[in-house]
Amino acid sequence: MKYTVLALFPEIIDAYFKNSIMAKAVERGIIAYRSINIRDFAFDKHHTCDDAPYGGGAGMLMLAEPLGRALEAAGACKRFLHAGAEPCSRAGTAGKARASGVSAGGRVIYLSPSGRPFCQALAREFAGEESLILLCGRYEGIDQRIIDLYVDDEVSVGDYVLSSGEVAALSIIDASYRLVDQVIKAESLEEESFSGGLLEYPQYTRPEVYDTIQVPEVLLSGHHEHIRRWRLEKQIEKTLAVRPDLIRRGLETGLFNDETCKIIHSIEGIS
Ligand code: SAH
């Protein structure tokens, strides 16, 4: 999997790729990474990348021209919007349009609060791609024509406004790269939050007593079946308390097995 990140402050992203499991995945050749500084594609000597929006309004917008050039350098090519535009070929895509599908350089994602919500299922989908081009906005966002011409998906990391796409891109990179084959052991991914439509159960490590709080007895019992059952009940209690929408969706889509359904129905308030 190759990530290409376009940003005004790529050093924020660069630092992440040098750390921990990610650094190992890069070293092992499972993950590749390239950052592109959008400012390098500005036309003037001040490397201007923003201007006031047409029609007025607060703040500045990122200019289309540096963004378009940076995207072409990343291997993105324009959508086939205009009659007479030349279709994109794999070699030398610059300035050409694509007849259909995704650019030779990969699926282009623009991080945006107006995008579709990011979630574990989308992280899995992204992890299955050969390459992703992540476009990070700043200021009030980017010129719409860049979205129309190049962007395959607008993705939001939540219903709040960040000041930069770099932070959002990091969430997408982090959630997807760990799902790429061989980065993390498959069994570590099986029991985590969202994997079976429930949040994770509470976990404890040494010492047995911390600040007078004892580790639940069942976890010290060595009884695998009791531990499994306790964990499932805790998952359900937690999910009901903080994310009842996940329980509702799981019930509606038939995601849960009989045991899980029985526990859910036995807890007051759910019918
Ligand atoms: N004026 C815009 C917000 C721009 S915030 C609006 O009201 O929608 C500046 C940049 O931060 C955006 O271009 C985007 O790349 C990024 N960003 C902010 N919030 C985000 C979110 N929830 N998800 C993904 N990216 C976000």
Side-chain angles (χ1 to χ4, degrees), residues 198 229 232-233 236-237 240 244 247-271:
L198 296 171
R229 174 78 185 190
L232 178 61
E233 286 170 0
I236 294 170
E237 280 169 21
L240 272 171
I247 298 277
R248 266 196 307 277
R249 199 184 318 150
L251 288 171
E252 278 161 20
T253 58
L255 185 66
F256 303 136
N257 62 19
D258 283 354
E259 184 186 22
T260 302
C261 289
K262 269 193 202 132
I263 300 173
I264 293 170
H265 292 307
S266 73
I267 300 179
E268 219 178 52
I270 289 283
S271 54

Side-chain angles (χ1 to χ4, degrees), residues 190-262:
E190 272 163 22
E191 291 197 350
E192 42 181 37
S193 297
F194 308 114
S195 55
L198 296 171
L199 303 178
E200 202 181 46
Y201 45 78
Q203 306 214 66
Y204 301 84
T205 184
R206 272 192 278 260
E208 260 183 54
V209 180
Y210 171 70
D211 201 10
T212 74
I213 305 171
Q214 169 90 42
V215 171
E217 207 62 47
V218 61
L219 299 179
L220 309 172
S221 69
H223 195 301
H224 296 308
E225 175 50 24
H226 288 178
I227 293 172
R228 187 199 63 78
R229 174 78 185 190
W230 180 86
R231 285 179 167 165
L232 178 61
E233 286 170 0
K234 291 291 164 193
Q235 278 189 282
I236 294 170
E237 280 169 21
K238 173 96 193 248
T239 313
L240 272 171
V242 300
R243 293 294 305 275
D245 57 307
L246 291 180
I247 298 277
R248 266 196 307 277
R249 199 184 318 150
L251 288 171
E252 278 161 20
T253 58
L255 185 66
F256 303 136
N257 62 19
D258 283 354
E259 184 186 22
T260 302
C261 289
K262 269 193 202 132

Side-chain angles (χ1 to χ4, degrees), residues 101-181:
V102 163
S103 295
R107 189 161 163 182
V108 180
I109 295 157
Y110 170 49
L111 287 315
S112 159
S114 316
R116 64 173 159 143
F118 189 54
C119 61
Q120 191 70 7
L122 201 47
R124 263 185 234 116
E125 194 182 312
F126 288 163
E129 295 280 342
E130 256 174 53
S131 48
L132 292 178
I133 299 173
L134 299 165
L135 175 58
C136 306
R138 281 255 163 181
Y139 318 117
E140 288 305 320
I142 69 175
D143 191 301
Q144 180 63 34
R145 289 165 291 187
I146 289 295
I147 299 172
D148 297 342
L149 282 169
Y150 292 98
V151 172
D152 296 306
D153 292 284
E154 279 186 79
V155 176
S156 164
V157 293
D159 291 346
Y160 44 81
V161 178
L162 298 165
S163 57
S164 76
E166 284 88 337
V167 175
L170 281 178
S171 299
I172 292 196
I173 292 165
D174 195 288
S176 59
Y177 95 92
R178 60 196 294 286
L179 301 176
V180 170
D181 260 2

Side-chain angles (χ1 to χ4, degrees), residues 1-2 22-32 180 182:
M1 152 70 104
K2 179 176 180 186
M22 173 58 100
K24 280 195 200 112
V26 171
E27 207 181 289
R28 287 161 63 204
I30 304 168
I31 303 291
V180 170
Q182 300 169 51

